[in-house]
Amino acid sequence: MHPDVVDLRSFYAGPLGVVARRLLGRSIRARWGNVAGQIVLGVGYATPYLDVFTGEAERILAFMPAAQGVVNWPTDGLSASALAELSMLPLRDSSVDRVLVVHALETGESPGELLSEIWRILTPGGRLIAVAPNRRGMWARMDTTPFGQGQPFSRGQLTQVLREALFSPVHWSEALYVPPFPSRTFLRSATAWERLGVTLSLPFAGVHVIEATKTLYRPVVVRQTRRVSARMSPALAATPRVLTRGAD
């Protein structure tokens, strides 16, 4: 079930949402350092992380599911956000260079269908960044944040659903090591938590951040054939005849 867009907007306007936006945004920007001349699409509720590409990308779009609702984005100028059926995106094949998915995989009915649709609209060599709650992290256990909604993923589960949709993961990272409590102590030390978690590769990060490329070939499944040896039997079997001599 998708969280309501009003709740999402309220979260990112609050202190904990500001911290999440800053820490997670750094991880996303580290992977996409330059998107000049490219078309970038945000799917789900990705607008808090799209602002960094404004003025750099050729065009930025934001599609949000109808069950969630939509907000006007950006706040100034022409709107680039719209409601969309995420399993049938209103874009041509191979028309987008980069897709950022946030608050979508864990709340959608079929992550595989969404990823397959994203595969369709990505250009050859196009890239996807998927952000999904870590099932081992504390953020997935707290329903007071959007990352506590829906179904969290393990690294193996996320890898499997990406590969089934013909994506090849090329980089893994994690973010949001700070506990999801609106305490000033935790919020002030959020950067220190993040550095410690990344340095020690701690297992309780709040989200997975995975970058994947579009695979242009469909893998061939080799099936084993079973040979059955059967004895050949003649279609007609000879029946011995008994000759009798009639009586005189």
Side-chain angles (χ1 to χ4, degrees):
M1 180 178 178
H2 294 281
D4 189 86
V5 71
V6 175
D7 296 331
L8 289 164
R9 184 169 53 184
S10 297
F11 169 76
Y12 280 104
L16 190 58
V18 171
V19 169
R21 177 178 182 174
R22 174 164 50 88
L23 298 179
L24 183 52
R26 287 177 183 173
S27 184
I28 295 170
R29 188 59 168 171
R31 297 308 306 165
W32 291 352
N34 184 7
V35 296
Q38 298 185 337
I39 298 176
V40 179
L41 170 66
V43 174
Y45 192 78
T47 51
Y49 308 99
L50 292 176
D51 289 331
V52 294
F53 304 119
T54 302
E56 181 180 315
E58 177 183 337
R59 189 174 184 183
I60 307 176
L61 302 171
F63 287 168
M64 305 181 189
Q68 167 192 291
V70 66
V71 293
N72 183 47
W73 182 88
T75 55
D76 56 340
L78 299 176
S79 178
S81 61
L83 286 176
E85 174 56 54
L86 299 188
S87 61
M88 294 184 294
L89 297 175
L91 295 172
R92 300 191 310 271
D93 295 357
S94 303
S95 58
V96 176
D97 300 294
R98 306 287 176 100
V99 177
L100 174 63
V101 181
V102 186
H103 301 305
L105 286 179
E106 68 272 21
T107 55
E109 295 182 0
S110 178
E113 287 186 9
L114 170 58
L115 291 172
S116 295
E117 185 66 358
I118 291 173
W119 187 96
R120 179 186 67 80
I121 66 171
L122 268 177
T123 58
R127 300 226 165 190
L128 159 77
I129 286 183
V131 177
N134 178 12
R135 65 182 303 175
R136 300 176 65 182
M138 191 176 298
W139 287 71
R141 305 170 190 270
M142 304 288 292
D143 58 5
T144 54
T145 80
F147 297 102
Q149 309 294 323
Q151 178 64 43
F153 292 85
S154 67
R155 182 166 177 168
Q157 290 171 332
L158 199 51
T159 300
Q160 180 179 357
V161 72
L162 282 165
R163 287 178 175 168
E164 288 177 350
L166 302 182
F167 281 99
S168 178
V170 295
H171 184 267
W172 277 94
S173 63
E174 294 177 322
L176 303 186
Y177 288 91
V178 62
F181 303 122
S183 166
R184 291 185 178 180
T185 302
F186 285 124
L187 296 179
R188 289 174 179 174
S189 60
T191 302
W193 279 90
E194 205 73 5
R195 290 175 179 171
L196 181 65
V198 171
T199 301
L200 301 180
S201 298
L202 298 177
F204 54 81
V207 296
H208 298 291
V209 183
I210 179 171
E211 184 180 20
T213 59
K214 177 178 179 176
T215 304
L216 297 180
Y217 60 88
R218 189 174 296 274
V220 177
V221 179
V222 179
R223 297 181 180 179
Q224 294 183 348
T225 57
R226 193 174 52 174
R227 295 184 177 180
V228 179
S229 58
R231 293 184 178 180
M232 299 296 294
S233 57
L236 298 176
T239 303
R241 296 180 61 187
V242 178
L243 298 178
T244 58
R245 195 179 283 181
D248 292 338

